[in-house]
């Protein structure tokens, strides 16, 4: 007698393949759900594998267009970043995957959803908070928090042995025991030898990008066109142009990958309170975000940018990282992104070369915040030089008071 139907977020990898077999052992009927979110995956092989293990059905949902237009491009607009380094590649994908999984669960009559997130990571929070927002009455089966599961499978060694017993083919081996997660925005590498933060990642670990030392010796120039902060065209040096959002992102990925752009290696603070070491390749997002930041310098009002950078960007990034996408506060913050981008229209010329990005120039035919004659040292345009004296005098009022108070105490300001 089946305990009921469960929709499992299935990746085809070690963890979820073992979880699929375990759920079947526990008496559940399993629908294997998979999202095509731009990962390099043999989806037909994943389908065959899920059905071979015993899934009742395999459902693949293509969410790439929604991922780019609804999540990745807004992340470019807001320059999303966590702890000044991480471009949130994993976090960005979770709301899209969760939404598609809940839709499949409802279509297939599943009473519960399941995932392969560990009990120490961020993704369990991201997925489950999204599940509960999208379908408040859903039940969640989290094997890595179930004693029946985690006492049986203490680590990846046990998973690999179980997979061998069940004839489940896996790509992860004891020689390369790191865990990966891939989507159109990035790939992450964690666990195994990477848990020592002083261990240098082996060269053959990196998957998406060419090693910068092996990248072409000739720089590659390109142009990105933005309208209201959104990339609307990517033009390569050979004249090839891309205007469809998904094609723009794919082309940006390819450009960055072949030039070794987009690698990071960090120790970050997980929402759950644990520090963890992660290695990430985020090629296309690095290209588009860097170009966007540069164009804002030319086209975005100083005070608008200050407010956005002080509140909107860090708040949105933290909410996204912590899995709070489907919340009233994130809905509110997301609503602030587009209004800040009304003037971010123009063209950025850039160069990719051996792991680096170089801005060659930027221009805008619609925004006039920059006036070359005003900023010129060779022209008296905009205001007379003596007018700066009054500006300095007003700014100096409180600073003089500060200096006087220090001297009255018999002290001197020091470096």
């Amino acid at each position: 007698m089946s305990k009921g139907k469960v929709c499992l977020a299935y990746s085809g990898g070690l963890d979820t393949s073992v979880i699929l077999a375990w759920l079947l052992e526990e008496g559940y009927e399993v629908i294997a759900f998979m999202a095509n979110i731009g990962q390099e995956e043999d989806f037909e092989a994943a389908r065959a594998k899920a059905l071979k293990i015993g899934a009742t059905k395999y459902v693949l949902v293509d969410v790439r267009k929604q991922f780019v237009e609804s999540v990745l491009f807004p992340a470019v607009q807001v320059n999303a970043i966590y702890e000044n380094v991480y471009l949130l590649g994993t976090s960005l994908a979770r709301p899209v995957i969760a939404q598609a999984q809940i839709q499949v669960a409802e279509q297939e009559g599943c009473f519960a959803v399941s995932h392969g997130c560990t009990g120490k990571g961020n993704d369990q929070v991201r997925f489950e908070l999204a599940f509960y927002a999208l379908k408040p009455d859903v039940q969640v089966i989290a094997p890595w928090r179930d004693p029946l599961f985690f006492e049986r499978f203490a680590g990846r060694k046990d998973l690999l042995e179980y997979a061998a017993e069940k004839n489940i083919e896996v790509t992860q081996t004891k020689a390369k025991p790191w865990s990966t997660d891939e989507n159109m925005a990035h790939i992450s590498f964690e666990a195994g030898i990477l848990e020592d933060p002083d261990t240098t990642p082996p060269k053959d670990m990196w998957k998406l990008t060419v090693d910068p030392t092996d990248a072409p010796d000739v720089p590659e120039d390109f142009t990105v066109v933005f309208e209201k902060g959104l990339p609307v065209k990517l033009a390569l040096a050979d004249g090839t142009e891309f205007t469809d959002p998904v094609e723009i992102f794919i082309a940006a990925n390819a450009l960055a990958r072949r030039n070794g752009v987009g690698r990071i290696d960090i120790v970050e603070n997980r929402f759950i309170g644990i520090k963890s070491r992660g290695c990430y390749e985020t090629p296309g997002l690095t290209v588009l975000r860097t170009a966007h930041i540069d164009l804002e310098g030319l086209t975005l009002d100083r005070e608008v940018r200050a407010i956005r950078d002080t509140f909107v960007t860090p708040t949105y990034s933290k909410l996204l990282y912590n899995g709070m996408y489907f919340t009233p506060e994130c809905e509110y913050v997301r609503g602030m992104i587009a209004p800040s981008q009304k003037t971010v229209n123009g063209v950025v010329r850039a160069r990719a070369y051996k792991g680096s990005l170089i801005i060659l120039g930027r221009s805008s035919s619609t925004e006039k915040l920059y006036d070359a004659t005003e900023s010129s040292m060779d022209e008296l345009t905009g205001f007379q030089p003596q007018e700066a004296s009054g500006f300095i005098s007003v700014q100096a009022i409180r600073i003089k008071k500060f200096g006087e108070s220090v001297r009255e105490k018999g002290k001197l300001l020091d470096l």
Side-chain angles (χ1 to χ4, degrees):
M1 186 75 145
S2 172
K3 291 182 179 179
K5 195 179 292 186
V6 177
C7 181
L8 169 66
Y10 182 71
S11 70
L14 174 63
D15 288 39
T16 56
S17 293
V18 170
I19 287 171
L20 171 52
W22 179 79
L23 287 170
L24 293 171
E25 281 187 3
E26 290 298 306
Y28 297 103
E29 182 181 352
V30 181
I31 303 298
F33 155 78
M34 199 167 190
N36 177 358
I37 198 158
Q39 71 272 41
E40 294 181 349
E41 180 70 63
D42 186 337
F43 295 110
E44 177 54 34
R47 183 193 71 82
K49 184 176 181 180
L51 296 178
K52 180 181 178 182
I53 294 171
T56 300
K57 188 175 182 180
Y58 168 87
V59 180
L60 175 67
V61 181
D62 190 339
V63 296
R64 289 174 297 174
K65 187 176 190 302
Q66 184 184 19
F67 187 35
V68 173
E69 295 181 353
S70 300
V71 182
L72 292 182
F73 276 10
V76 171
Q77 284 182 301
V78 78
N79 303 324
I81 192 167
Y82 180 73
E83 294 188 336
N84 300 312
V85 182
Y86 175 43
L87 299 190
L88 298 157
T90 301
S91 314
L92 289 162
R94 294 330 188 204
V96 183
I97 296 172
Q99 185 179 63
Q101 185 174 356
I102 288 296
Q103 290 172 348
V104 170
E106 292 186 321
Q107 291 165 5
E108 298 297 328
C110 299
F111 82 98
V113 291
S114 184
H115 59 74
C117 307
T118 70
K120 292 184 177 181
N122 295 310
D123 274 343
Q124 58 179 336
V125 181
R126 295 168 183 153
F127 275 121
E128 292 184 34
L129 293 183
F131 292 152
Y132 292 131
L134 294 163
K135 186 174 172 56
D137 63 343
V138 74
Q139 293 187 43
V140 177
I141 297 174
W144 280 115
R145 299 202 306 270
D146 186 334
L148 289 175
F149 185 87
F150 68 71
E151 289 178 0
R152 181 176 180 183
F153 304 103
R156 276 166 168 68
K157 179 177 178 292
D158 293 334
L159 294 175
L160 289 167
E161 290 176 353
Y162 179 82
E165 291 173 8
K166 295 289 185 177
N167 294 316
I168 300 172
E169 296 180 6
V170 293
T171 57
Q172 190 184 51
T173 66
K174 295 179 182 180
K176 296 182 179 181
W178 48 75
S179 175
T180 65
D181 182 83
E182 183 181 355
N183 60 54
M184 187 181 292
H186 91 155
I187 187 171
S188 63
F189 304 90
E190 295 179 318
I193 62 171
L194 301 177
E195 289 177 351
D196 178 355
D198 198 31
T199 295
T200 302
K203 186 174 181 178
D204 65 350
M205 180 196 78
W206 304 100
K207 176 185 177 183
L208 301 183
T209 56
V210 170
D211 189 289
T213 60
D214 298 328
D217 294 327
V218 179
E220 183 171 358
D221 295 353
F222 62 96
T223 299
V224 185
V225 180
F226 291 90
E227 290 181 5
K228 296 182 178 179
L230 293 170
V232 295
K233 183 165 71 173
L234 175 65
L236 304 182
D238 64 4
T240 307
E241 295 184 347
F242 304 90
T243 56
D244 174 77
V246 175
E247 290 181 355
I248 287 173
F249 206 91
I250 291 173
N253 268 337
L255 164 72
R257 289 174 66 164
R258 60 179 172 260
N259 287 286
V261 172
R263 292 184 178 185
I264 62 170
D265 178 350
I266 62 172
V267 175
E268 67 196 73
N269 290 292
R270 289 178 179 170
F271 182 33
I272 203 166
I274 299 171
K275 285 187 180 291
S276 67
R277 193 269 190 93
C279 298
Y280 305 99
E281 292 176 276
T282 318
L285 193 55
T286 298
V287 166
L288 297 176
R289 181 179 180 274
T290 301
H292 176 264
I293 290 174
D294 182 81
L295 184 61
E296 285 191 326
L298 179 68
T299 61
L300 190 56
D301 176 80
R302 181 183 73 177
E303 298 305 320
V304 172
R305 187 173 191 174
I307 293 171
R308 196 279 314 278
D309 288 350
T310 302
F311 175 73
V312 182
T313 297
T315 303
Y316 175 76
S317 301
K318 184 177 180 180
L319 289 172
L320 193 67
Y321 186 86
N322 291 348
M324 303 289 179
Y325 188 87
F326 294 108
T327 61
E329 63 271 28
C330 193
E331 185 178 76
Y332 171 59
V333 173
R334 292 203 310 271
M336 298 180 183
I337 297 175
S340 74
Q341 298 294 292
K342 293 177 182 178
T343 63
V344 185
N345 307 298
V347 181
V348 177
R349 295 185 298 108
R351 171 174 293 164
Y353 181 62
K354 289 189 175 295
S356 66
L357 280 175
I358 304 164
I359 302 299
L360 302 178
R362 77 289 294 162
S363 61
S364 177
S365 60
T366 61
E367 307 309 322
K368 304 300 180 184
L369 297 180
Y370 177 84
D371 187 330
T373 60
E374 281 186 347
S375 60
S376 174
M377 299 296 182
D378 299 320
E379 297 185 46
L380 299 178
T381 304
F383 63 91
Q384 294 299 308
Q386 63 269 27
E387 293 175 4
S389 298
F391 177 79
I392 294 171
S393 296
V394 172
Q395 295 297 317
I397 292 173
R398 68 181 184 88
I399 296 174
K400 285 181 178 180
K401 293 295 183 184
F402 172 60
E404 289 172 1
S405 68
V406 172
R407 282 179 172 270
E408 286 173 358
K409 297 173 184 176
K411 299 179 181 179
L412 293 175
L413 291 171
D414 198 3
L415 293 177

